Amino acid sequence: MSSFDVAVIGGGPGGYIAAIRAAQLGMQVACIDEATGADGKPALGGTCTNVGCIPSKALLQSSENYEAAGHHFAEHGVRVKGLELDLAAMLRRKDKVVKGSNDGILYLFKKNKVTFLHGRGSFGSSPSEIRITGTENRTISARHVIIATGSNPRPLPGAAFDEKRILSNTGALAIGDVPKKLAVIGAGVIGLELGSVWRRLGADVTILEALPEFLGMADETIAKEAGKIFARQGLKMEFGVSVAGVSLSKKDVQVEYKDRDGAAKAIDADRLIVSIGRVPNTAGLNAEAVGIQFDRGMIAVDGDCRTGVPNVWAIGDVVRGPMLAHKAEEEGVAVAERIAGQKPHIDFNLVPSVIYTSPEIAWVGKTERQLKAEGIACRAGQFPFSANARARAMGASAGLVKFLAKEATDEILGVHIIGPFASELIAEAVVAMAFRGSSEDIGMICHAHPSLGEAMKDAALAVDQRALNI
Ligand code: FAD
Ligand code: NAI
């Protein structure tokens, strides 16, 4: 039986990054992943690469280009005649981007001398024994095991995914013809991102959300602004609904629900995307048999990702915390370093969140409501992109930046953005907060002109009512 210092089960962003970091630290590492691409070859990279972050961002970009060519180029004096959507080409491009990432991870494994084992891994007769079935059929032993098996979409009771008409993220990223009418259940991150993709490509999209308010996890100011912008874009959303049932007819899918006032309603759609969250994936791991404990379906871990079983760790979507690729990666690196005897630290308060709609939404730290609930007095500074020269030149002036700083010390406690390239702008806030910077610090730093970053500076200055451009 081959033996390794570390065996990682799962090759998503948590697992493959943990494997690479452990190998960098001089350990003998095996990574086991069962995913197979359409070409029958290994498809490393997990949910994120195959049916998550990467393909969704490819389609978001392509659909944005299509919408811009159809609706926004004219204001720049660029006339397009005979605009056509070639959806098959758009989907092929997305698949090519995914394949490039799959192969890139294989290359990184070779470069770092990580042994890749294509197949399904499960615990054998002890926590240090891993059985692999699939392309590889063998048993290995490892001093340390990292479980990084990710998550699966949560189905709606009574409406199993068929990926033809009732779609999870997997089917929603591969619809072969633009639905005339698309229903979406869940106005969370997937509902908004994939709802936006298909709306831009021409679908009439209605999103049904159980909660009474929009984007409850975001800062209220941002959620309000986002609600207005998405409504203007033609995304229909209903809140406080209760879905009564989903049924399939020959061609359609019907969703029956009660609206916020309790009135019975129904939507007939060509397709339905169900995006109501994800559940940890632990099926077939044989984890209970070796003594691993669970907490509400997740693998129970401490703050350092240790399970209760010595030398067995778990990271990413299969454990507590936000289901985000970069959070999984941070945990992967930290666990590899802990195994090597180092003492890394992750500040979970500084994990940024991004929703890749147009405009993008991004935030880090606390919302104003959270700070109020915690009794922390803060000052807020806001700056609209409509007063930022670069945003106006780009034709992307919707949205704003909001800084929240502690009243007593001016330390930045939260930054919230809705606007162009919010996903990139938020990095400045994360850096500042990691160094426990103040809003005055950002206000004193020279930002290039004209740049979107100047909106960060102006919002920081606005905390002290010193914004220069408004
Ligand atoms: P996963 O990526 O799920 O990887 C787990 C891997 O383990 C899979 O390859 C699976 O096949 C394999 N596996 C499972 N069990 C076994 C077993 N027993 N043996 C062998 N292999 C096994 N996050 C972001 O941060 N940014 C985004 O923009 C973003 N967009 C998303 C868009 C969509 C549509 C979705 C669905 C998710 C998105 N996410 C995004 C979330 C992100 O994909 C996950 O948080 C991330 O993939 C979790 O990484 P992971 O390594 O924990 O698990
Ligand atoms: P989510 O948790 O973001 O949103 C689910 C939504 O569905 C919630 O608003 C919830 O209130 C609603 N809901 C739940 N049950 C419902 C019901 N029966 N009827 C109506 N509404 C209901 O989950 P989502 O969008 O499925 O995404 C899963 C995970 O993937 C998220 O945790 C997210 O972190 C990750 N992801 C991250 C992305 C990013 O970082 N840009 C992009 C896409 C997904």
Side-chain angles (χ1 to χ4, degrees):
M1 193 194 312
S2 331
S3 59
F4 293 87
D5 295 314
V6 179
V8 185
I9 309 178
Y16 90 76
I17 288 290
I20 290 173
R21 184 69 189 123
Q24 282 178 346
L25 290 163
M27 292 179 255
Q28 295 291 322
V29 184
C31 181
I32 303 137
D33 191 276
E34 64 178 345
T36 303
D39 57 1
K41 300 212 168 111
L44 273 165
T47 301
C48 172
T49 304
N50 293 308
V51 288
C53 330
I54 306 306
S56 61
K57 266 82 254 180
L59 287 187
L60 278 155
Q61 187 60 52
S62 298
S63 61
E64 253 187 69
N65 291 349
Y66 177 68
E67 187 170 65
H71 299 283
H72 307 303
F73 277 12
E75 79 195 50
H76 292 266
V78 180
R79 290 216 189 116
V80 180
K81 269 197 192 140
L83 179 70
E84 265 180 66
L85 173 66
D86 183 347
L87 182 58
M90 197 179 275
L91 295 175
R92 273 199 305 276
R93 175 187 175 277
K94 175 227 22 163
D95 292 340
K96 204 169 149 201
V97 173
V98 168
K99 178 80 179 127
S101 296
N102 297 144
D103 293 347
I105 300 167
L106 263 181
Y107 160 78
L108 290 174
F109 275 3
K110 283 204 186 97
K111 183 178 161 210
N112 288 282
K113 302 196 172 46
V114 171
T115 302
F116 170 54
L117 302 171
H118 188 213
R120 165 161 273 258
S122 61
F123 286 97
S125 56
S126 77
S128 58
E129 191 184 284
I130 305 295
R131 290 194 187 129
I132 300 135
T133 54
T135 312
E136 301 273 348
N137 277 293
R138 58 196 273 202
T139 300
I140 60 168
S141 73
R143 250 181 347 105
H144 288 266
V145 176
I146 304 175
I147 304 169
T149 48
S151 62
N152 289 320
R154 182 194 301 281
L156 192 74
F161 296 117
D162 62 11
E163 303 299 4
K164 292 190 177 83
R165 279 181 292 168
I166 304 179
L167 313 172
S168 72
N169 53 294
T170 302
L173 288 161
I175 305 176
D177 47 355
V178 178
K180 278 200 182 66
K181 197 152 177 60
L182 175 67
V184 180
I185 302 182
V189 198
I190 294 180
L192 290 174
E193 290 188 3
L194 296 184
S196 296
V197 164
W198 293 106
R199 181 201 57 73
R200 287 175 200 150
L201 298 180
D204 174 6
V205 180
T206 303
I207 308 184
L208 302 176
E209 166 60 47
L211 292 177
E213 64 173 28
F214 180 47
L215 276 184
M217 70 279 206
D219 187 89
E220 266 177 280
T221 314
I222 302 295
K224 218 166 134 194
E225 185 74 10
K228 277 193 271 179
I229 294 172
F230 297 154
R232 268 206 306 272
Q233 291 175 350
L235 206 57
K236 295 176 198 149
M237 294 192 265
E238 279 199 54
F239 298 96
V241 311
S242 153
V243 174
V246 172
S247 52
L248 293 174
S249 65
K250 250 191 190 156
K251 274 174 66 193
D252 289 352
V253 45
Q254 190 179 62
V255 184
E256 287 176 26
Y257 65 99
K258 286 207 169 113
D259 72 8
R260 64 190 325 154
D261 303 317
K265 285 189 174 171
I267 296 181
D268 275 314
D270 311 80
R271 314 276 170 129
L272 167 68
I273 298 175
V274 176
S275 47
I276 55 169
R278 297 178 63 83
V279 286
N281 172 23
T282 56
L285 260 185
N286 202 28
E288 296 91 340
V290 295
I292 291 167
Q293 304 280 313
F294 286 78
D295 174 14
R296 287 162 291 155
M298 295 170 279
I299 293 185
V301 287
D302 67 9
D304 287 347
C305 295
R306 284 173 223 274
T307 68
V309 176
N311 294 356
V312 179
W313 311 73
I315 59 172
D317 279 11
V318 81
V319 303
R320 82 278 172 274
M323 288 184 169
L324 296 174
H326 42 286
K327 176 265 193 182
E329 290 182 20
E330 291 301 305
E331 288 182 332
V333 167
V335 165
E337 292 178 351
R338 280 183 197 118
I339 292 172
Q342 299 182 2
K343 301 217 169 341
H345 170 72
I346 302 174
D347 186 344
F348 287 99
N349 185 45
L350 295 187
V351 174
S353 297
V354 179
I355 306 177
Y356 292 83
T357 41
S358 178
E360 293 179 349
I361 298 170
W363 70 90
V364 63
K366 302 274 167 75
T367 63
E368 196 163 351
R369 190 189 281 173
Q370 283 169 335
L371 290 170
K372 264 195 197 127
E374 290 173 23
I376 300 170
C378 71
R379 292 192 299 168
Q382 261 175 240
F383 188 81
F385 281 102
S386 56
N388 174 271
R390 182 73 193 277
R392 285 192 294 108
M394 288 166 67
S397 55
L400 60 102
V401 179
K402 175 173 173 180
F403 268 66
L404 295 167
K406 196 167 181 173
E407 193 169 275
T409 62
D410 195 37
E411 179 176 354
I412 304 165
L413 299 179
V415 176
H416 305 269
I417 309 171
I418 176 165
F421 293 106
S423 56
E424 306 293 335
L425 295 173
I426 200 66
E428 179 178 12
V430 180
V431 172
M433 289 173 69
F435 287 94
R436 302 200 61 181
S438 62
S439 72
E440 188 184 22
D441 288 332
I442 298 288
M444 282 164 62
I445 293 170
C446 179
H447 290 67
H449 178 75
S451 70
L452 298 171
E454 287 176 295
M456 297 288 281
K457 177 175 172 140
D458 262 314
L461 287 170
V463 170
D464 204 27
Q465 276 140 36
R466 289 176 48 202
L468 295 162
N469 291 291
I470 195 151

PDB file of all heavy atoms in Angstrom, residues 2 47 52 62 73-74 83 89 98 123 135 171 177 192 212 214 245 250 279 282 284 292 311 317 324 353 361 435:
ATOM      1  N   SER A   2       0.657   2.205  -0.950  1.00  0.00           N
ATOM      2  CA  SER A   2       1.481   3.431  -0.944  1.00  0.00           C
ATOM      3  C   SER A   2       1.094   4.267   0.265  1.00  0.00           C
ATOM      4  O   SER A   2      -0.085   4.312   0.639  1.00  0.00           O
ATOM      5  CB  SER A   2       1.241   4.288  -2.181  1.00  0.00           C
ATOM      6  OG  SER A   2       0.870   3.526  -3.264  1.00  0.00           O
ATOM      7  N   THR A  47     -16.601  22.115  -7.819  1.00  0.00           N
ATOM      8  CA  THR A  47     -17.792  22.878  -8.191  1.00  0.00           C
ATOM      9  C   THR A  47     -17.375  24.196  -8.827  1.00  0.00           C
ATOM     10  O   THR A  47     -17.909  24.612  -9.863  1.00  0.00           O
ATOM     11  CB  THR A  47     -18.618  23.193  -6.921  1.00  0.00           C
ATOM     12  OG1 THR A  47     -18.977  21.970  -6.295  1.00  0.00           O
ATOM     13  CG2 THR A  47     -19.859  23.996  -7.244  1.00  0.00           C
ATOM     14  N   GLY A  52     -19.493  26.190 -11.277  1.00  0.00           N
ATOM     15  CA  GLY A  52     -19.675  27.281 -10.318  1.00  0.00           C
ATOM     16  C   GLY A  52     -19.036  28.563 -10.785  1.00  0.00           C
ATOM     17  O   GLY A  52     -19.379  29.119 -11.845  1.00  0.00           O
ATOM     18  N   SER A  62     -19.979  36.980 -21.199  1.00  0.00           N
ATOM     19  CA  SER A  62     -20.497  36.871 -22.574  1.00  0.00           C
ATOM     20  C   SER A  62     -21.858  37.547 -22.687  1.00  0.00           C
ATOM     21  O   SER A  62     -22.134  38.265 -23.662  1.00  0.00           O
ATOM     22  CB  SER A  62     -20.633  35.400 -22.976  1.00  0.00           C
ATOM     23  OG  SER A  62     -19.373  34.772 -22.950  1.00  0.00           O
ATOM     24  N   PHE A  73     -23.929  50.058 -26.711  1.00  0.00           N
ATOM     25  CA  PHE A  73     -22.903  50.545 -27.637  1.00  0.00           C
ATOM     26  C   PHE A  73     -23.357  51.847 -28.311  1.00  0.00           C
ATOM     27  O   PHE A  73     -22.548  52.743 -28.548  1.00  0.00           O
ATOM     28  CB  PHE A  73     -22.609  49.500 -28.717  1.00  0.00           C
ATOM     29  CG  PHE A  73     -21.624  48.435 -28.286  1.00  0.00           C
ATOM     30  CD1 PHE A  73     -21.246  48.301 -26.964  1.00  0.00           C
ATOM     31  CD2 PHE A  73     -21.067  47.566 -29.227  1.00  0.00           C
ATOM     32  CE1 PHE A  73     -20.337  47.316 -26.568  1.00  0.00           C
ATOM     33  CE2 PHE A  73     -20.161  46.589 -28.841  1.00  0.00           C
ATOM     34  CZ  PHE A  73     -19.802  46.457 -27.518  1.00  0.00           C
ATOM     35  N   ALA A  74     -24.663  51.935 -28.620  1.00  0.00           N
ATOM     36  CA  ALA A  74     -25.171  53.082 -29.395  1.00  0.00           C
ATOM     37  C   ALA A  74     -24.855  54.407 -28.703  1.00  0.00           C
ATOM     38  O   ALA A  74     -24.491  55.389 -29.358  1.00  0.00           O
ATOM     39  CB  ALA A  74     -26.668  52.935 -29.622  1.00  0.00           C
ATOM     40  N   LEU A  83     -27.228  42.263 -35.131  1.00  0.00           N
ATOM     41  CA  LEU A  83     -26.681  41.579 -33.943  1.00  0.00           C
ATOM     42  C   LEU A  83     -27.354  40.216 -33.784  1.00  0.00           C
ATOM     43  O   LEU A  83     -28.577  40.104 -33.857  1.00  0.00           O
ATOM     44  CB  LEU A  83     -26.960  42.440 -32.707  1.00  0.00           C
ATOM     45  CG  LEU A  83     -26.479  41.888 -31.369  1.00  0.00           C
ATOM     46  CD1 LEU A  83     -24.962  41.925 -31.291  1.00  0.00           C
ATOM     47  CD2 LEU A  83     -27.092  42.681 -30.219  1.00  0.00           C
ATOM     48  N   ALA A  89     -22.035  28.884 -29.510  1.00  0.00           N
ATOM     49  CA  ALA A  89     -20.641  29.348 -29.449  1.00  0.00           C
ATOM     50  C   ALA A  89     -20.328  29.887 -28.050  1.00  0.00           C
ATOM     51  O   ALA A  89     -19.235  29.684 -27.521  1.00  0.00           O
ATOM     52  CB  ALA A  89     -20.399  30.430 -30.500  1.00  0.00           C
ATOM     53  N   VAL A  98     -13.461  26.501 -18.910  1.00  0.00           N
ATOM     54  CA  VAL A  98     -13.458  25.503 -17.821  1.00  0.00           C
ATOM     55  C   VAL A  98     -12.348  24.481 -18.054  1.00  0.00           C
ATOM     56  O   VAL A  98     -11.556  24.182 -17.156  1.00  0.00           O
ATOM     57  CB  VAL A  98     -14.839  24.803 -17.733  1.00  0.00           C
ATOM     58  CG1 VAL A  98     -14.783  23.573 -16.843  1.00  0.00           C
ATOM     59  CG2 VAL A  98     -15.888  25.788 -17.216  1.00  0.00           C
ATOM     60  N   PHE A 123     -13.102   6.475   3.531  1.00  0.00           N
ATOM     61  CA  PHE A 123     -12.281   5.921   4.608  1.00  0.00           C
ATOM     62  C   PHE A 123     -12.404   4.402   4.613  1.00  0.00           C
ATOM     63  O   PHE A 123     -13.483   3.842   4.387  1.00  0.00           O
ATOM     64  CB  PHE A 123     -12.725   6.494   5.963  1.00  0.00           C
ATOM     65  CG  PHE A 123     -12.302   7.923   6.138  1.00  0.00           C
ATOM     66  CD1 PHE A 123     -13.192   8.960   5.870  1.00  0.00           C
ATOM     67  CD2 PHE A 123     -11.012   8.234   6.544  1.00  0.00           C
ATOM     68  CE1 PHE A 123     -12.803  10.282   6.008  1.00  0.00           C
ATOM     69  CE2 PHE A 123     -10.612   9.569   6.693  1.00  0.00           C
ATOM     70  CZ  PHE A 123     -11.509  10.576   6.422  1.00  0.00           C
ATOM     71  N   THR A 135     -11.299   5.274 -11.813  1.00  0.00           N
ATOM     72  CA  THR A 135     -10.187   5.073 -12.734  1.00  0.00           C
ATOM     73  C   THR A 135      -9.047   4.382 -11.986  1.00  0.00           C
ATOM     74  O   THR A 135      -8.403   3.473 -12.483  1.00  0.00           O
ATOM     75  CB  THR A 135      -9.699   6.444 -13.278  1.00  0.00           C
ATOM     76  OG1 THR A 135     -10.823   7.187 -13.702  1.00  0.00           O
ATOM     77  CG2 THR A 135      -8.711   6.276 -14.410  1.00  0.00           C
ATOM     78  N   GLY A 171     -27.405  22.521 -14.618  1.00  0.00           N
ATOM     79  CA  GLY A 171     -28.244  22.667 -15.815  1.00  0.00           C
ATOM     80  C   GLY A 171     -28.381  24.124 -16.233  1.00  0.00           C
ATOM     81  O   GLY A 171     -28.436  24.436 -17.430  1.00  0.00           O
ATOM     82  N   ASP A 177     -31.110  26.514 -25.380  1.00  0.00           N
ATOM     83  CA  ASP A 177     -31.839  27.574 -26.089  1.00  0.00           C
ATOM     84  C   ASP A 177     -32.389  28.538 -25.036  1.00  0.00           C
ATOM     85  O   ASP A 177     -32.784  28.123 -23.954  1.00  0.00           O
ATOM     86  CB  ASP A 177     -32.981  26.995 -26.934  1.00  0.00           C
ATOM     87  CG  ASP A 177     -33.797  25.992 -26.147  1.00  0.00           C
ATOM     88  OD1 ASP A 177     -33.411  25.697 -24.994  1.00  0.00           O
ATOM     89  OD2 ASP A 177     -34.822  25.517 -26.659  1.00  0.00           O
ATOM     90  N   LEU A 192     -29.472  35.465  -8.543  1.00  0.00           N
ATOM     91  CA  LEU A 192     -29.210  36.793  -9.129  1.00  0.00           C
ATOM     92  C   LEU A 192     -28.223  36.702 -10.294  1.00  0.00           C
ATOM     93  O   LEU A 192     -28.426  37.322 -11.338  1.00  0.00           O
ATOM     94  CB  LEU A 192     -28.671  37.749  -8.064  1.00  0.00           C
ATOM     95  CG  LEU A 192     -29.693  38.167  -7.013  1.00  0.00           C
ATOM     96  CD1 LEU A 192     -29.020  38.991  -5.928  1.00  0.00           C
ATOM     97  CD2 LEU A 192     -30.832  38.961  -7.660  1.00  0.00           C
ATOM     98  N   PRO A 212     -38.791  38.043   3.337  1.00  0.00           N
ATOM     99  CA  PRO A 212     -39.579  39.231   3.011  1.00  0.00           C
ATOM    100  C   PRO A 212     -38.762  40.353   2.386  1.00  0.00           C
ATOM    101  O   PRO A 212     -39.299  41.236   1.728  1.00  0.00           O
ATOM    102  CB  PRO A 212     -40.141  39.669   4.363  1.00  0.00           C
ATOM    103  CG  PRO A 212     -39.269  39.025   5.392  1.00  0.00           C
ATOM    104  CD  PRO A 212     -38.694  37.786   4.772  1.00  0.00           C
ATOM    105  N   PHE A 214     -35.073  41.882   0.300  1.00  0.00           N
ATOM    106  CA  PHE A 214     -34.068  41.556  -0.705  1.00  0.00           C
ATOM    107  C   PHE A 214     -32.665  41.632  -0.102  1.00  0.00           C
ATOM    108  O   PHE A 214     -32.344  42.578   0.619  1.00  0.00           O
ATOM    109  CB  PHE A 214     -34.213  42.559  -1.863  1.00  0.00           C
ATOM    110  CG  PHE A 214     -33.244  42.344  -2.979  1.00  0.00           C
ATOM    111  CD1 PHE A 214     -33.034  41.079  -3.512  1.00  0.00           C
ATOM    112  CD2 PHE A 214     -32.550  43.407  -3.525  1.00  0.00           C
ATOM    113  CE1 PHE A 214     -32.148  40.875  -4.556  1.00  0.00           C
ATOM    114  CE2 PHE A 214     -31.662  43.220  -4.578  1.00  0.00           C
ATOM    115  CZ  PHE A 214     -31.460  41.949  -5.083  1.00  0.00           C
ATOM    116  N   GLY A 245     -45.773  24.179  -4.670  1.00  0.00           N
ATOM    117  CA  GLY A 245     -45.467  22.962  -5.429  1.00  0.00           C
ATOM    118  C   GLY A 245     -44.959  23.279  -6.816  1.00  0.00           C
ATOM    119  O   GLY A 245     -45.151  24.386  -7.326  1.00  0.00           O
ATOM    120  N   LYS A 250     -46.291  18.803 -20.367  1.00  0.00           N
ATOM    121  CA  LYS A 250     -45.502  18.323 -21.506  1.00  0.00           C
ATOM    122  C   LYS A 250     -44.327  19.244 -21.820  1.00  0.00           C
ATOM    123  O   LYS A 250     -43.209  18.812 -22.017  1.00  0.00           O
ATOM    124  CB  LYS A 250     -46.401  18.208 -22.725  1.00  0.00           C
ATOM    125  CG  LYS A 250     -46.642  16.765 -23.102  1.00  0.00           C
ATOM    126  CD  LYS A 250     -47.300  16.671 -24.432  1.00  0.00           C
ATOM    127  CE  LYS A 250     -47.732  15.231 -24.640  1.00  0.00           C
ATOM    128  NZ  LYS A 250     -48.818  15.126 -25.562  1.00  0.00           N
ATOM    129  N   VAL A 279     -25.913  21.987   0.085  1.00  0.00           N
ATOM    130  CA  VAL A 279     -25.720  21.121   1.251  1.00  0.00           C
ATOM    131  C   VAL A 279     -24.351  20.455   1.171  1.00  0.00           C
ATOM    132  O   VAL A 279     -23.893  20.091   0.084  1.00  0.00           O
ATOM    133  CB  VAL A 279     -26.825  20.035   1.355  1.00  0.00           C
ATOM    134  CG1 VAL A 279     -28.122  20.633   1.823  1.00  0.00           C
ATOM    135  CG2 VAL A 279     -27.033  19.302   0.045  1.00  0.00           C
ATOM    136  N   THR A 282     -21.097  14.670   1.790  1.00  0.00           N
ATOM    137  CA  THR A 282     -20.320  13.697   2.577  1.00  0.00           C
ATOM    138  C   THR A 282     -20.739  12.265   2.246  1.00  0.00           C
ATOM    139  O   THR A 282     -20.288  11.320   2.889  1.00  0.00           O
ATOM    140  CB  THR A 282     -20.517  13.925   4.090  1.00  0.00           C
ATOM    141  OG1 THR A 282     -21.920  13.855   4.376  1.00  0.00           O
ATOM    142  CG2 THR A 282     -19.983  15.269   4.536  1.00  0.00           C
ATOM    143  N   GLY A 284     -21.109   8.638   1.059  1.00  0.00           N
ATOM    144  CA  GLY A 284     -20.184   7.573   0.669  1.00  0.00           C
ATOM    145  C   GLY A 284     -18.764   7.745   1.184  1.00  0.00           C
ATOM    146  O   GLY A 284     -17.859   7.017   0.776  1.00  0.00           O
ATOM    147  N   ILE A 292     -15.876  10.312  12.727  1.00  0.00           N
ATOM    148  CA  ILE A 292     -16.007  11.753  12.436  1.00  0.00           C
ATOM    149  C   ILE A 292     -17.408  12.222  12.819  1.00  0.00           C
ATOM    150  O   ILE A 292     -18.402  11.555  12.515  1.00  0.00           O
ATOM    151  CB  ILE A 292     -15.673  12.014  10.946  1.00  0.00           C
ATOM    152  CG1 ILE A 292     -14.167  11.767  10.756  1.00  0.00           C
ATOM    153  CG2 ILE A 292     -16.053  13.431  10.516  1.00  0.00           C
ATOM    154  CD1 ILE A 292     -13.733  11.686   9.332  1.00  0.00           C
ATOM    155  N   ASN A 311      -5.573  13.961  13.344  1.00  0.00           N
ATOM    156  CA  ASN A 311      -4.973  13.984  11.995  1.00  0.00           C
ATOM    157  C   ASN A 311      -5.984  13.942  10.837  1.00  0.00           C
ATOM    158  O   ASN A 311      -5.603  13.700   9.691  1.00  0.00           O
ATOM    159  CB  ASN A 311      -3.952  12.866  11.808  1.00  0.00           C
ATOM    160  CG  ASN A 311      -2.747  13.064  12.695  1.00  0.00           C
ATOM    161  OD1 ASN A 311      -2.640  14.078  13.392  1.00  0.00           O
ATOM    162  ND2 ASN A 311      -1.840  12.116  12.690  1.00  0.00           N
ATOM    163  N   ASP A 317     -16.556  23.956   1.640  1.00  0.00           N
ATOM    164  CA  ASP A 317     -18.019  23.926   1.716  1.00  0.00           C
ATOM    165  C   ASP A 317     -18.552  22.835   2.646  1.00  0.00           C
ATOM    166  O   ASP A 317     -19.706  22.892   3.053  1.00  0.00           O
ATOM    167  CB  ASP A 317     -18.613  23.672   0.321  1.00  0.00           C
ATOM    168  CG  ASP A 317     -18.671  24.928  -0.538  1.00  0.00           C
ATOM    169  OD1 ASP A 317     -18.065  25.948  -0.141  1.00  0.00           O
ATOM    170  OD2 ASP A 317     -19.314  24.881  -1.607  1.00  0.00           O
ATOM    171  N   LEU A 324     -17.645  29.702  -0.061  1.00  0.00           N
ATOM    172  CA  LEU A 324     -16.939  30.522  -1.043  1.00  0.00           C
ATOM    173  C   LEU A 324     -15.607  29.873  -1.385  1.00  0.00           C
ATOM    174  O   LEU A 324     -14.927  29.322  -0.504  1.00  0.00           O
ATOM    175  CB  LEU A 324     -16.682  31.925  -0.488  1.00  0.00           C
ATOM    176  CG  LEU A 324     -17.924  32.763  -0.192  1.00  0.00           C
ATOM    177  CD1 LEU A 324     -17.544  34.071   0.484  1.00  0.00           C
ATOM    178  CD2 LEU A 324     -18.688  33.042  -1.489  1.00  0.00           C
ATOM    179  N   SER A 353     -17.177  39.180   0.218  1.00  0.00           N
ATOM    180  CA  SER A 353     -18.283  38.573  -0.532  1.00  0.00           C
ATOM    181  C   SER A 353     -18.485  39.370  -1.810  1.00  0.00           C
ATOM    182  O   SER A 353     -18.431  40.597  -1.776  1.00  0.00           O
ATOM    183  CB  SER A 353     -19.590  38.660   0.259  1.00  0.00           C
ATOM    184  OG  SER A 353     -19.484  37.923   1.442  1.00  0.00           O
ATOM    185  N   ILE A 361     -21.689  43.627  -6.825  1.00  0.00           N
ATOM    186  CA  ILE A 361     -21.882  43.976  -5.410  1.00  0.00           C
ATOM    187  C   ILE A 361     -20.749  43.312  -4.637  1.00  0.00           C
ATOM    188  O   ILE A 361     -20.460  42.140  -4.867  1.00  0.00           O
ATOM    189  CB  ILE A 361     -23.243  43.449  -4.907  1.00  0.00           C
ATOM    190  CG1 ILE A 361     -24.389  44.099  -5.700  1.00  0.00           C
ATOM    191  CG2 ILE A 361     -23.399  43.666  -3.403  1.00  0.00           C
ATOM    192  CD1 ILE A 361     -25.747  43.474  -5.446  1.00  0.00           C
ATOM    193  N   PHE A 435      -4.806  45.577   7.947  1.00  0.00           N
ATOM    194  CA  PHE A 435      -3.807  46.377   8.675  1.00  0.00           C
ATOM    195  C   PHE A 435      -4.465  47.279   9.719  1.00  0.00           C
ATOM    196  O   PHE A 435      -3.828  48.180  10.258  1.00  0.00           O
ATOM    197  CB  PHE A 435      -2.983  47.218   7.688  1.00  0.00           C
ATOM    198  CG  PHE A 435      -2.003  46.390   6.898  1.00  0.00           C
ATOM    199  CD1 PHE A 435      -2.328  45.885   5.654  1.00  0.00           C
ATOM    200  CD2 PHE A 435      -0.753  46.090   7.429  1.00  0.00           C
ATOM    201  CE1 PHE A 435      -1.433  45.098   4.936  1.00  0.00           C
ATOM    202  CE2 PHE A 435       0.142  45.307   6.720  1.00  0.00           C
ATOM    203  CZ  PHE A 435      -0.194  44.802   5.475  1.00  0.00           C
TER     204      PHE A 435
END
